[in-house]
Amino acid sequence: MKGICPGTSLTHLIAQARLFKLSLPNPFPRPHRPLYVGSPAILAGVSFGLDKPATLAIVDITTGRAITYRSLRQLLGEDHHLLNRQRQRQHQKAKQRRHNQLKFAPNR
């Protein structure tokens, strides 16, 4: 291995590794409060479809009832117009792509 002298003991190498590890700066601050631990009985489910792009449901599996439903429009809030814009562009590009494929087809 590169950088290891032939007469170096294993305990010396471990001590060097610990010192090197301690000398590295810690780029991420440690949280001053304990991390959130969620309930394993509550699940989030996402349903994707054509009429509604996405719907989020929060369900308690112990009781089997839905706690809340949220549509994509509710989740996006005031930015829901961005979804409409993206869908319109997607439709326009698909239409243009089909037109170009028909126009430049080799069998025409």
Side-chain angles (χ1 to χ4, degrees), residues 5-82:
C5 297
T8 310
S9 69
L10 184 60
T11 56
H12 180 70
L13 289 175
I14 293 172
Q16 277 186 332
R18 284 186 184 146
L19 285 174
F20 178 73
K21 193 175 178 182
L22 289 175
S23 68
L24 290 175
N26 189 358
F28 302 107
R30 297 293 176 219
H32 60 278
R33 59 182 177 171
L35 296 175
Y36 172 76
V37 179
S39 173
I42 295 179
L43 297 177
V46 181
S47 170
F48 297 101
L50 292 176
D51 54 340
K52 292 185 177 181
T55 304
L56 176 73
I58 308 295
V59 180
D60 184 1
I61 59 171
T62 57
T63 61
R65 68 177 185 86
I67 296 172
T68 185
Y69 289 103
R70 292 289 182 262
S71 68
L72 194 58
R73 184 174 182 149
Q74 290 171 323
L75 292 171
L76 289 174
E78 300 211 358
D79 293 330
H80 70 274
H81 67 278
L82 297 175

